[in-house]
């Protein structure tokens, strides 16, 4: 069988060779004929002249192929739709071309192996189709293997960058406006809300487990979007910042499991270094041959240095090219656990945080912050030598820093604002706020009012010549067991920023500022004390009388000028200490003796006492009725805190939640908001938000009775010299103004009225009379009785005037004109009240409860009386 097959093959091959020889002879004949013809001389002198000569028949363009139309610029959404259509069109064309190639190959006789090979080449070359198929695949393959190795794959990185571009441009279109705003305002970062990434769980998991690599991909995708949408932008590339992580950890809770992960921690900034330049891209030049190497990226603290020159093979012959090296900003801060979160008997822990780029100087010592960053380890040779075995120090590379005060402002919703505005119009809002201060403590109504005034505060006035403080300082002086320390602890939990300390456990340096040597640079740096950390907040000092006189003298400047001057180790500066001081102290012999003078009971100097706006003498007086009510209150408090009662309240809460779901929340909402209309206390969370909104107001003093205020101050000065109590100075006049502004803030008013001044005068008189001897206090109360006026007294006076006007109008009516309703103009009522030197009746007219009980209603600009 093989021999005939070989014969046939040789036969066909001989015929093919003869045909090839004939075709070669024909080609040679044609080539010879072409050589005989005359061709064009390309090297002639006039060739270029003839080629570029004007030819009217040829030198013209067909208008059918010229596009002279005007086009309207596409919007971002239209452009994305057009790109999607073009991608689909290209995909269809590629599919058609592949089908034609396969058909041609089949008809031309190419074997199956050649067809498969061409298909593989086509699939390898078409990256876009492959990426689209990868997007449709399940992402479980990424998490089944090592994710860090998977991110080194070019295709995986391309796929993730496309996912992030889709997130910014399609899934969360609001970030396109944020990008435009950031570029317009010359910002260098884009803040991304972490919960928004929940649209794609893959991105969420990658950002949590591999934050550094994922943030690089997000920065790259953001850079591509900016290049495409904002071609004219030439600034620094934008960086992605992440905020609002679901869990905020404490410095104490950080463990090895959190290393190299994205975390959020809360703390107070205690130290901040100066700004240092850090290498970002370093470029080396060879000293021997002058060769300039490519820039090297510096990721860690170790700066990489090439071993030899690729041009001259020289070793250790490189210097840094400073002109072409790129630097970035670098700063280190130290955050410490917030004072209120440290467990009993433990020392507050701290952690170093690295700030870079636009995060520099975003916070200052004393501010409470939430830091979102990557928890990393840092090699420290000194630490290894000290411990005797390998130990790594840990730091946090910050990605975003958020001030807690700003976060609390953002947490106020529209519903909260509506509730707060409703509360401010309540006629007994001051009483409600007073009840909300330390509700677990019985009595002490005057102290609670003073603490409330201190929390709201007055208006701080700053000018080029002089600065007047707006914070109200309070001193609680009295017998043991009167809940002074408990009041301070309540303020610590309620104030937006609060620092609690004790007199014996604090020194002058601990209260003001200390100077320490920086371990990195060796320079002297400042660390703020309690008053500096409480800037724009409240500083509580318990056991104030136990402090040394030298330490107590150091806070004189902070309590009045609200600044701390430092002149140590060559550092001359002034630190801000704009905070209210609330202190508690005990008398000399432990119990206050009313038969002795104030200075015989207290071991405090006159300069420090004059800096307190309000001074309360808290005495433990034996009174059978008061003691009985106090005992009932304490027993009931312990009864309510019993575990069985707590379980009962939890059951009631679950029943209320179920009722809310069934009824749609209408009935439960009405029950929960009953405090808006009665005299009960305000919930603590809402009270905090109420204080935040109120402190943004700046009430004016245009409508106060200046003559009454002046007369009161002169009388108070006169009787203070005769008595043996607190010495009244000009500072106390400013204290009355500050307390009046705080009272106006309680009502969310933009002006101070006479009721606010009366409240301030009453508090000042209580403070002044309580410091007098028992024999003098009674006489002073009688002399200042006309100033001791409460808002309820004003309402009774106004109600009496209104009744007299009704009686007068009835007496002037004829028998035919008599009716069940009497109308009185509000304008006439205000004119009548002005004769008694009362100019503000808005609070009285808002007291619907009191007016309705007496038969009065308000309709428009009239007061209508209806007889029973």
């Amino acid at each position: 069988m093989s021999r005939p097959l070989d014969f046939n093959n040789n036969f066909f091959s001989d015929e093919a060779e003869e045909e090839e020889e004939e075709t070669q002879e024909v080609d040679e004949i044609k080539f010879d004929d072409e050589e005989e013809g005359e061709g064009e001389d390309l090297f002639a002198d006039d060739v270029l002249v003839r080629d570029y000569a004007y030819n009217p028949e040829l030198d013209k363009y067909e208008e059918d192929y010229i596009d002279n139309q005007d086009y309207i610029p596409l919007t971002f959404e239209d452009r994305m739709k057009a790109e999607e259509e073009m991608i689909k069109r290209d995909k269809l064309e590629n599919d058609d071309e592949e089908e034609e190639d396969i058909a041609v190959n089949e008809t031309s006789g190419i074997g199956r192996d050649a067809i498969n090979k061409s298909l593989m080449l086509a699939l390898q070359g078409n990256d876009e189709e492959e990426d689209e198929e990868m997007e449709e695949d399940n992402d479980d393959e990424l998490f089944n293997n090592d994710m860090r190795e998977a991110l080194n794959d070019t295709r995986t990185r391309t796929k993730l960058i496309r996912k992030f571009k889709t997130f910014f441009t399609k899934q969360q279109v609001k970030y396109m406006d944020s990008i435009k705003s950031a570029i317009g305002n010359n910002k260098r970062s884009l803040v991304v809300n972490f919960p928004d990434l929940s649209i794609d769980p893959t991105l969420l998991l990658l950002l949590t487990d591999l934050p550094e690599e994922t943030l690089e991909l997000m920065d790259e995708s953001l850079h591509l979007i900016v290049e495409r949408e904002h071609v004219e932008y030439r600034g620094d590339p934008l960086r992605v910042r992440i905020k609002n992580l679901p869990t905020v950890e404490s410095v104490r809770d950080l463990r090895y499991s959190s290393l190299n992960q994205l975390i959020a921690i809360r703390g107070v900034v205690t130290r901040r270094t100066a700004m240092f330049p850090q290498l970002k891209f370093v470029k080396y030049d060879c000293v021997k041959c002058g060769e300039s190497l490519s820039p090297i990226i510096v990721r860690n603290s170790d700066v990489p240095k090439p071993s030899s020159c690729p041009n001259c093979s020289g070793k250790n012959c490189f210097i840094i090219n400073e002109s072409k090296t790129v630097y970035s900003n670098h700063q280190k801060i130290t955050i410490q656990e917030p004072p209120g979160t440290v467990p009993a008997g433990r020392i507050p822990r701290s952690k170093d945080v690295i700030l870079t780029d636009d995060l520099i100087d975003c916070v200052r010592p004393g501010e409470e912050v939430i830091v979102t960053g990557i928890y990393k380890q840092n090699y420290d040779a000194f630490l290894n030598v000290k411990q005797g075995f390998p130990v790594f120090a840990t730091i946090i590379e910050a990605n975003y820093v958020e001030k807690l005060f700003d976060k609390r402002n953002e947490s106020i919703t529209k519903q909260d604002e509506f509730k707060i505005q409703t509360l401010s119009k309540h006629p007994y809002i001051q009483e409600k706020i007073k009840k909300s201060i330390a509700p677990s403590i019985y009595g002490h109504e005057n102290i609670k009012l003073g603490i409330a005034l201190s929390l709201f505060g007055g208006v701080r006035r700053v000018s080029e010549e002089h600065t007047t403080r707006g914070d109200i300082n309070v001193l609680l002086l009295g017998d043991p067991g009167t809940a002074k320390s408990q009041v301070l602890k309540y303020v610590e939990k309620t104030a937006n920023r609060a620092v609690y300390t004790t007199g014996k456990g604090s020194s002058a340096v601990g209260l003001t500022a200390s100077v320490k040597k920086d371990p990195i640079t060796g320079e002297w740096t400042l660390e703020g004390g309690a008053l500096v950390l409480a800037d724009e907040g409240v500083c509580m000092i318990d056991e104030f009388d136990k402090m040394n006189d030298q330490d107590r003298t150091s806070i004189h400047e902070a309590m009045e000028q609200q600044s701390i001057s430092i002149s140590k180790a060559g550092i001359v500066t002034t630190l801000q200490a704009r905070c209210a001081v609330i202190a508690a102290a005990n008398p000399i012999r432990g119990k206050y003796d009313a038969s002795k003078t104030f200075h015989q009971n207290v071991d405090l100097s006159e300069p420090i006492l004059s800096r307190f706006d309000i001074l309360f003498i808290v005495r433990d007086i034996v009174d059978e009725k008061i003691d009985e009510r106090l005992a009932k209150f304490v027993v009931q408090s312990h009864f309510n805190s019993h575990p069985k009662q707590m379980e009962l309240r939890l059951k009631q809460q679950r029943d209320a939640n179920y009722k809310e779901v069934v009824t749609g929340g209408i009935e439960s909402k009405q029950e929960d908001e009953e405090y808006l209309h009665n005299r009960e206390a305000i919930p603590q969370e809402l009270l905090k938000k109420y204080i935040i909104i109120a402190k943004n107001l700046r009430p004016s003093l245009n409508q106060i009775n200046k003559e009454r205020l002046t007369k009161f101050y002169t009388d108070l000065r006169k009787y203070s010299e005769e008595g043996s109590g607190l010495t009244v100075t000009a500072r106390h006049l400013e204290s009355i103004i500050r307390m009046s502004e705080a009272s106006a803030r309680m009502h969310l008013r933009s002006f101070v009225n006479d009721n606010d001044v009366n409240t301030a005068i009453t508090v000042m008189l209580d403070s002044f009379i309580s410091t007098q001897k028992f024999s003098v206090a009674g006489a002073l109360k009688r002399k200042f009785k006309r100033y001791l006026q409460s808002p309820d007294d004003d309402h009774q006076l106004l109600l009496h005037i209104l009744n007299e006007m009704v009686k007068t109008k009835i007496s002037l009516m004829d028998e035919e004109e008599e009716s069940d309703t009497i109308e009185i103009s509000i304008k006439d009522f205000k004119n009548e009240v002005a004769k008694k030197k009362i100019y503000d009746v808005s609070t009285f007219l808002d007291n619907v409860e009191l007016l309705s009980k007496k038969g009065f209603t308000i309709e428009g600009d009239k007061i209508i009386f209806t007889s029973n």
Side-chain angles (χ1 to χ4, degrees), residues 202-216:
T202 306
L203 307 181
L204 205 64
L205 292 171
L206 281 174
L207 184 60
T208 306
D209 295 336
L210 297 175
E212 190 171 6
E213 294 81 357
T214 308
L215 286 171
E216 287 182 3

Side-chain angles (χ1 to χ4, degrees), residues 1 22 29 39 52-53 58 81 96 104 167 210 295 347 369 385 393 410 437 456 485 533 568 722 748-749 819 858:
M1 296 294 293
E22 289 177 0
I29 293 170
Y52 288 95
L58 299 178
K81 291 179 181 178
D96 295 339
V104 170
F167 168 77
L210 297 175
I347 299 174
V369 297
V385 173
E410 292 176 359
I437 301 295
F456 282 88
S485 300
L533 296 180
K568 299 176 183 178
E722 296 177 1
L748 295 187
R749 281 198 304 266
S819 64
I858 308 296

Side-chain angles (χ1 to χ4, degrees), residues 821-839:
T821 58
I822 305 296
E823 294 183 357
I824 296 175
S825 172
I826 293 179
K827 183 177 180 181
D828 296 338
F829 175 65
K830 288 182 178 180
N831 294 333
E832 189 69 24
V833 166
K835 297 177 182 178
K836 302 293 183 182
K837 295 185 177 180
I838 300 176
Y839 303 101

